[in-house]
Amino acid sequence: MIRKMISKLNVIMATVAAVSMTLTPVTAMARGNVVEENLGTTDITWDAVTSQEGSEELIGAGRFVTFDGVDCQMWIPNLMQPEELTEEDIQKGYIGYYTTEDKKSVAAIMYIDTGGMTLEDYKAFLADDNEVSGITDITVNGLPGVMYDMTGKDATCVSFTTDSGYVLEFTFSPMSDDGYSAITTCMIASIQE
C-alpha cells in the first residue's frame, strides 16, 4: 500500500517539478533541500500538488489535521497515526506526533515560546547550531518560514514565527528514505492556516 502511494506521489511530484522547472528555470537549478528537489522552488502551494492529474487518489490516502492551540492544519497520510503525547511532551512544546506503524517515519509538530523572536532572529539562532545546515527561506501557501536540515538526526524542519512570539515547527524524519522524503514534500506543501 505504501509503495503504491509513493509511486503515485512520485508521478505527481515529477509532473509538478517539470512544470516548475519550465516556469522558473533559475530557481529549479538552485535546488538543495527536499522541497526544491521535488518541486523546483521554495515558494510552494498546496494547489501545485492538488492540481496535478491523479492527485485525488493520493490526497484521499490521507487527511487534514488541525493542531490544538494554533490556527494551522497539515495533510498527513493515513499510514501515519498520532502518538499519545505525555505531559512532559506537552511541556516541551509538542502539539502533534505522528508515526508509521513500524515507528520508522515521524512527523513531529512543536509550538515553542521563543520570547518574541522574529523569523530573522530564529534563522540567526539556527545558524549558531553545528547540527543545523541548509537554512533556506521558504514560503508555504503564503506563509513565510524557514527550512533547515538536522544532519545528525536525518531530519528536515520547517518553521514559522507567529505574532504571539512562538515558533511553529514541523520536523520530518528520516529524510534518507526517498519514499518518505517525497511524502514529506506533500505534507510541507499542505501546511496552511
Side-chain angles (χ1 to χ4, degrees), residues 5 61-63 75-81 98 180 183 187:
M5 187 170 94
R63 76 275 187 206
W75 177 86
I76 298 176
N78 291 333
L79 294 170
M80 298 185 80
Q81 293 299 311
Y98 295 80
Y180 185 63
I183 290 171
M187 287 191 279

Side-chain angles (χ1 to χ4, degrees), residues 9 13 17-19 25 31 33 36 38 42 60 65 80 98-99 102 106-108 114 118 142 161 169-170 192:
L9 175 67
M13 290 296 102
V19 170
R31 294 180 285 185
N33 59 49
E36 290 172 304
N38 288 324
T42 56
V65 173
M80 298 185 80
Y98 295 80
T99 64
D102 61 9
V106 173
T114 58
T118 64
T161 54
E169 186 158 88
F170 300 81
Q192 55 194 285

Side-chain angles (χ1 to χ4, degrees), residues 113-191:
D113 185 352
T114 58
M117 278 187 178
T118 64
L119 193 56
E120 292 302 316
D121 294 337
Y122 193 62
K123 286 178 4 186
F125 170 77
L126 293 171
D128 287 339
D129 189 331
N130 292 334
E131 291 291 312
V132 171
S133 66
I135 300 170
T136 306
D137 289 319
I138 187 169
T139 303
V140 182
N141 298 306
L143 300 171
V146 63
M147 176 180 244
Y148 63 93
D149 296 323
M150 296 181 71
T151 52
K153 296 182 179 174
D154 194 15
T156 289
C157 302
V158 177
S159 305
F160 306 91
T161 54
T162 67
D163 292 337
S164 56
Y166 282 72
V167 168
L168 177 61
E169 186 158 88
F170 300 81
T171 303
F172 306 94
S173 179
M175 296 312 292
S176 58
D177 179 330
D178 290 339
Y180 185 63
S181 175
I183 290 171
T184 295
T185 300
C186 273
M187 287 191 279
I188 292 169
S190 73
I191 298 169

Side-chain angles (χ1 to χ4, degrees), residues 35-78:
V35 173
E36 290 172 304
E37 289 170 5
N38 288 324
L39 297 178
T41 182
T42 56
D43 186 6
I44 62 172
T45 66
W46 184 234
D47 289 340
V49 173
T50 61
S51 65
Q52 300 306 308
E53 184 177 328
S55 64
E56 298 84 18
E57 184 179 338
L58 172 73
I59 305 313
R63 76 275 187 206
F64 269 92
V65 173
T66 302
F67 303 104
D68 292 337
V70 295
D71 187 20
C72 183
Q73 61 178 343
M74 180 176 73
W75 177 86
I76 298 176
N78 291 333

